[in-house]
Amino acid sequence: VEFRFQKPEDLLEIGKYNYYACNSRTPSKQYKDKTRVVTMLVPGDYLFKSGNYRSCINGQKVYLNVTTLIKNDADDKI
């Protein structure tokens, strides 16, 4: 799954506690480019917030849940 965005400020990938608290002291990743593509290869929760505390408090944050693709054997039959 890809998450594409153009941003006016830093975007931080953070843990669940930091997401709800709008804390940016320990981001797992920081994205600073103007246009960015984040590729999520492993199923799980991905949480992002603005590097600006006020923006985060005002709701500028994203929670994505990536699940595995369920393969249907009927799709393989012609």
Side-chain angles (χ1 to χ4, degrees), residues 16-35:
K16 194 174 278 189
Y17 172 79
N18 291 332
Y19 176 82
Y20 291 107
C22 284
N23 181 355
S24 59
R25 291 187 194 128
T26 56
S28 54
K29 291 183 183 174
Q30 185 172 12
Y31 304 97
K32 292 186 175 188
D33 299 335
K34 290 183 180 181
T35 302

Side-chain angles (χ1 to χ4, degrees), residues 2 4 6 8 13 18 21-23 29-30 34 36 41 43 45 54 56 60 65 69 72-73:
E2 289 183 349
R4 295 174 181 258
Q6 293 181 345
E13 186 174 341
N18 291 332
C22 284
N23 181 355
K29 291 183 183 174
Q30 185 172 12
K34 290 183 180 181
R36 186 68 183 178
L41 300 173
D45 296 333
R54 277 201 198 282
C56 181
Q60 192 173 350
N65 179 270
L69 178 64
N72 185 349
D73 291 335

